[in-house]
Amino acid sequence: QVQLVESGGGLVQAGGSLRLSCAASGSIFSFNFMGWYRQAPGKQRELVAQISSGGLTNYGDSVKGRFTISRDNPKNTVYLQMNSLTPEDTAVYYCNLKKYYSSISYNAYWGQGTQVTVSS
């Protein structure tokens, strides 16, 4: 199994920045995406950003231009640099790993979530 350990959540004022980290333990040998989803009360869980093992990235529309995702493959760690935070970014952020075992199928792994709160 793979375990995901998140860190970096907390409380920040609007306009501030926060950096999330997620480290995956266990073997990750196949093509994969690592990234972040978030869920605010009363809302669906949504993609924030993800990055493939080859460095391909995609972002949710609401965070484009403000958030940057990166990864350190030797450490199996993904980072999310969050800038210009707004109260609408307040949510529980979940680290996610999609580990592909075929061309179309993958196993999904989730962290326990870390709270990000942005005060106005």
Side-chain angles (χ1 to χ4, degrees), residues 81-115:
Q81 181 66 46
M82 304 186 293
N83 298 326
S84 301
L85 286 162
T86 75
E88 287 68 43
D89 296 314
T90 295
V92 178
Y93 284 68
Y94 297 91
C95 184
N96 169 261
L97 168 66
K98 301 182 181 72
K99 186 177 183 297
Y100 282 78
Y101 59 89
S102 74
S103 61
I104 61 171
S105 300
Y106 60 85
N107 289 331
Y109 303 87
W110 295 92
Q112 292 186 352
T114 184
Q115 177 70 45

Side-chain angles (χ1 to χ4, degrees), residues 4-7 9 20-23 33-41 43-50 67 69 78-80 82 89-98 108-116:
L4 304 175
V5 180
E6 302 147 320
S7 63
L20 304 182
S21 299
C22 176
F33 281 89
M34 292 186 70
W36 297 90
Y37 289 72
R38 69 186 183 187
Q39 188 166 23
K43 294 184 177 180
Q44 299 290 321
R45 187 173 297 188
E46 64 177 355
L47 173 70
V48 179
Q50 62 180 7
F67 292 8
I69 192 167
V78 63
Y79 306 94
L80 184 68
M82 304 186 293
D89 296 314
T90 295
V92 178
Y93 284 68
Y94 297 91
C95 184
N96 169 261
L97 168 66
K98 301 182 181 72
Y109 303 87
W110 295 92
Q112 292 186 352
T114 184
Q115 177 70 45
V116 172

